[in-house]
């Protein structure tokens, strides 16, 4: 249990678990043709030329970038919840996911993505929905974490 008491490791794990949920939504939307690209390709646009974005290296580079960012976001979210409390956790999670979407897709990735991998309106909506779900995933795994801590404290 001592590993779970480390906020950095736990926050990173929460972020990665929420990212898995986000990626599942993105991949499902990809399979249903709502989007033509997956998130790891979008993340790779900051690092690779347009011609490389459909190659295996794009999935490796984009995957490392995505997992690193989501681990950091999980740490930030966990610390935010420790500061603000768990009231309205689901709303905080969804709001956090929306803020991440605006910051990442509206500013940091926006220009490189549109220049290298232009998306349809439905593809952009997929990124929006997936990030709301990412935030809800952060809330879900944070709630699970707090439940585990409460159970552990009751046992001691």
């Amino acid at each position: 249990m001592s590993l779970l008491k480390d906020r950095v490791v736990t926050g990173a794990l929460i972020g990665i678990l929420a990212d898995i949920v986000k990626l599942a939504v993105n991949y499902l939307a990809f399979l249903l043709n709502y989007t033509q690209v997956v998130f790891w390709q979008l993340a790779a646009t900051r690092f690779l030329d347009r011609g490389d974005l459909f190659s295996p290296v794009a999935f490796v580079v984009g995957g490392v970038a995505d997992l690193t960012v989501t681990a950091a976001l999980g740490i930030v979210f966990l610390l935010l919840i420790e500061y603000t409390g768990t009231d309205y956790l689901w709303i905080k999670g969804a709001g956090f996911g929306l803020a991440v979407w605006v910051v990442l897709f509206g500013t940091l990735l926006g220009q490189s993505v549109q220049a290298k991998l232009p998306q349809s309106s439905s593809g952009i909506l997929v990124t929006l929905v997936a990030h709301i779900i990412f935030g809800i995933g952060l809330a879900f795994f944070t709630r699970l974490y707090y439940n585990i801590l409460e159970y552990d404290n009751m046992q001691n």
Side-chain angles (χ1 to χ4, degrees):
M1 267 316 169
S2 63
L3 181 66
L4 285 180
K5 293 187 183 194
D6 186 303
R7 290 182 190 102
V8 172
V9 172
T10 302
L13 182 60
I14 287 169
I16 290 169
L17 290 171
D19 190 45
I20 291 169
V21 176
K22 177 192 82 175
L23 293 171
V25 169
N26 175 234
Y27 192 66
L28 178 62
F30 177 78
L31 290 175
L32 296 173
N33 292 315
Y34 288 110
T35 186
Q36 295 73 38
V37 294
V38 294
F39 279 120
W40 288 2
Q41 289 172 289
L42 297 173
T45 62
R46 295 300 288 171
F47 302 98
L48 301 174
D49 292 327
R50 184 179 187 158
D52 295 326
L53 295 176
F54 289 90
S55 68
V57 72
F59 295 94
V60 173
V61 169
V64 170
D66 185 55
L67 291 169
T68 302
V69 169
T70 56
L73 290 170
I75 295 166
V76 170
F77 186 75
L78 183 60
L79 294 175
L80 176 72
I81 295 306
E82 287 183 0
Y83 179 73
T84 65
T86 57
D87 293 340
Y88 310 108
L89 186 59
W90 306 107
I91 295 171
K92 290 175 185 177
F96 189 85
L98 280 169
V100 167
W101 179 75
V102 168
V103 170
L104 290 180
F105 283 92
T107 59
L108 298 177
L109 279 177
Q111 292 176 339
S112 65
V113 168
Q114 287 303 329
K116 295 179 182 179
L117 285 175
Q119 291 212 70
S120 64
S121 297
S122 65
I124 293 169
L125 286 174
V126 167
T127 66
L128 169 63
V129 171
H131 278 85
I132 293 170
I133 291 172
F134 170 71
I136 292 170
L138 288 172
F140 172 81
F141 292 112
T142 299
R143 169 55 55 211
L144 185 61
Y145 166 68
Y146 276 101
N147 288 347
I148 291 169
L149 284 182
E150 288 173 17
Y151 178 78
D152 187 47
N153 287 337
M154 288 174 34
Q155 297 301 314
N156 292 329

